Amino acid sequence: MTTTPTSAAAASSAQPPHLAGNFAPVTDELTAHDLPVTGTIPPELSGWYLRNGPNPHAAASAHWFFGDGMVHGVRLAGGRAVSYRNRWVRTSTFTDGIRIGDGTGCRDLTAGVANTHVVRHAGRTLALVESSFPYEIDCRPGHELETLGPHDFGGRLTTAMTAHPKICPTTGELHFFGYGHSEPPYLTYHRADAAGELVVSRPIDVPAATMMHDFHLTARHVIFMDLPMVLDRSRPGMPYRWDPEYGARLGVLRRDDPHGEVRWLAIDPCYVFHSLNAHDDGDQRIVLHVSRYATLAGQAAPCLWRWTIDLASGTVREEQIDDQMGEFPRIDDRLAGLPARFGHVTAAEAPGTGPIPGALLRYDLRTGAVARYDFGPGRTPGEAAFAPADDRPGGPGWLITYVHDAATDTSDLVILDAEDITAGPVATVSLPRRVPYGFHGNWLPDPVV
């Protein structure tokens, strides 16, 4: 299908901010082949770069977080940009207008927008949003990005699923949680084995329904963040309010005792949408890195922080690592829950009087050094996923992201050498349409045969 790309400027007139500029949705789906490339695509890259994000299709959404999910994908192989395509995730909300709640307190967990992340586990590619079941999408040749339907782990999943599950690189297990709204339990921890079978579902007692977006995994622990964004259905748009009186705490659960005690440790009130990574440091310490907001009341800039849990004393040491604004933290996911030396964060200054300059930051978590690549005025990157160059976790690889150019209202797929981001892109793929700002995605390499 070939259509005329939707201009961000044309979509911006008299629209709220989340529907204006490059937040504005595109209005169609298209497929394009043999995309133009500047530079050289590493020949080792063979697979899909997929990124999800909100793109309302039938009516304007009340908040950026509520738009229908659309996956934008670029396929790379043999040093070529083989194709681009974008597809809405066809949830029951998209196809039939079904809503999560019917006003009676009942929930249809197949309903939702599946607009936040794309992950692969046990041979399934899942589009995720934290309010609902995941939806499986088809990445086979000839069926690229078609929606296969909701996935409830054979009927065993009875809660929503977080958009930020963690895959243990040692066991292949998928760890995740679901948070609820209407009645306890407001939090349930889940675990699926390497084959994709749901083997643990354990309710956890928390005092209220809060917006719990992400969590942490180490080799021996699962750590939950109970933070002061409390459900408030009286609020228009996002039904949550900042309530520092609720407090903030971290809940530590041993992986070898998934039905055992959750130990809660207090921290200063704050909010975290996204964790970078976590790992065990000896028998009594756990180190976590997060993109931390001091508050979600008014304007607040997220920065990289380190939390060190001391299980012996029952305390948490909180340290700010950098004052540069940064979100969407990522690592080489083959080190999830293990000590990872390098982390990558997308940086952008707060919107003001001119184009928003965007950059990628590479943190050396061992030495404290920070490398930065600026894309230039008006060129704004999204989250950068790590694509490995070989089978050494933490070794060489590339960072892949979509970049929007405000001056031309176009988007590119940009590939940087993760070990030398200051050198600039090794390859830039010109896309046939702008890609609206979105959330999360992954590099999904072709299976080894």
Side-chain angles (χ1 to χ4, degrees):
M1 181 189 310
T2 302
T3 59
T4 302
T6 304
S7 163
S12 298
S13 177
Q15 292 283 5
H18 75 278
L19 298 172
N22 197 46
F23 290 95
V26 295
T27 58
D28 50 20
E29 300 171 323
L30 65 85
T31 298
H33 298 279
D34 295 318
L35 310 176
V37 178
T38 302
T40 303
I41 295 175
E44 298 92 337
L45 292 177
S46 181
W48 279 102
Y49 174 68
L50 302 181
R51 199 226 63 199
N52 204 344
N55 196 95
H57 85 290
S61 58
H63 191 281
W64 189 37
F65 291 177
F66 297 162
D68 301 285
M70 176 178 277
V71 175
H72 297 260
V74 174
R75 178 160 181 78
L76 306 177
R80 297 170 47 236
V82 177
S83 64
Y84 161 87
R85 68 188 65 218
N86 65 306
R87 296 292 185 269
W88 272 290
V89 184
R90 283 165 166 76
T91 67
S92 60
T93 297
F94 181 95
T95 58
D96 302 315
I98 297 174
R99 295 295 161 188
I100 295 173
D102 61 4
T104 67
C106 297
R107 299 184 70 196
D108 183 346
L109 289 172
T110 69
V113 289
N115 69 5
T116 309
H117 208 348
V118 183
V119 302
R120 177 192 286 164
H121 182 254
R124 297 180 187 270
T125 302
L126 302 176
L128 303 170
V129 68
E130 63 200 53
S131 61
S132 311
F133 287 155
Y135 267 74
E136 186 176 1
I137 57 177
D138 196 340
C139 292
R140 296 176 300 168
H143 300 269
E144 288 92 340
L145 311 190
E146 296 172 1
T147 302
L148 298 177
H151 179 59
D152 64 0
F153 295 85
R156 295 179 180 174
L157 182 63
T158 58
T159 74
M161 178 177 176
T162 176
H164 289 286
K166 315 292 183 189
I167 299 174
C168 175
T170 303
T171 65
E173 295 169 330
L174 183 75
H175 296 254
F176 61 99
F177 66 91
Y179 71 87
H181 298 91
S182 57
E183 59 185 17
Y186 297 122
L187 174 62
T188 305
Y189 164 62
H190 301 282
R191 185 187 305 178
D193 64 19
E197 295 294 320
L198 192 62
V199 294
V200 172
S201 290
R202 179 264 166 94
I204 295 173
D205 184 34
V206 293
T210 63
M211 186 170 68
M212 192 176 294
H213 188 67
D214 202 350
F215 74 125
H216 308 263
L217 179 74
T218 74
R220 297 201 300 269
H221 299 96
V222 179
I223 302 98
F224 304 98
M225 297 182 288
D226 191 22
L227 305 177
M229 280 296 288
V230 180
L231 181 68
D232 183 351
R233 296 184 185 278
S234 69
R235 297 177 65 87
M238 282 293 290
Y240 292 91
R241 58 180 168 83
W242 174 254
D243 182 7
E245 297 302 316
Y246 179 83
R249 58 186 189 156
L250 304 177
V252 181
L253 174 67
R254 292 186 61 90
R255 282 178 55 175
D256 62 2
D257 188 15
H259 295 279
E261 176 191 8
V262 177
R263 186 177 178 187
W264 294 99
L265 300 95
I267 58 174
D268 290 337
C270 65
Y271 193 76
V272 171
F273 281 106
H274 303 119
S275 64
L276 174 64
N277 194 34
H279 68 273
D280 299 303
D281 181 17
D283 293 333
Q284 295 295 319
R285 286 188 303 275
I286 306 170
V287 179
L288 309 93
H289 287 91
V290 298
S291 183
R292 177 188 185 275
Y293 296 76
T295 176
L296 286 189
Q299 297 295 321
C303 301
L304 190 64
W305 281 60
R306 177 170 52 240
W307 291 331
T308 304
I309 297 174
D310 187 325
L311 294 173
S313 65
T315 59
V316 181
R317 185 170 76 248
E318 306 178 60
E319 306 166 272
Q320 184 172 342
I321 292 177
D322 196 8
D323 60 3
Q324 297 184 83
M325 176 179 171
E327 253 288 7
F328 297 134
R330 295 295 297 262
I331 60 165
D332 179 346
D333 287 334
R334 297 172 298 174
L335 292 174
L338 303 173
R341 179 172 179 177
F342 298 102
H344 307 98
V345 174
T346 301
E349 304 301 327
T353 57
I356 303 172
L360 286 180
L361 305 174
R362 175 176 168 90
Y363 287 92
D364 186 326
L365 301 174
R366 184 182 302 168
T367 68
V370 186
R372 179 182 178 110
Y373 176 71
D374 288 282
F375 288 84
R379 287 183 59 80
T380 305
E383 177 190 68
F386 183 87
D390 57 32
D391 59 1
R392 293 174 292 167
W398 297 274
L399 300 177
I400 307 178
T401 184
Y402 291 132
V403 177
H404 177 254
D405 191 316
T408 60
D409 196 25
T410 58
S411 295
D412 302 316
L413 178 82
V414 176
I415 304 171
L416 298 100
D417 183 341
E419 295 185 309
D420 187 14
I421 65 170
T422 60
V426 299
T428 299
V429 180
S430 298
L431 302 181
R433 65 132 31 92
R434 69 177 180 88
V435 176
Y437 298 136
F439 299 137
H440 308 285
N442 270 307
W443 169 250
L444 303 180
D446 289 335
V448 177
V449 294

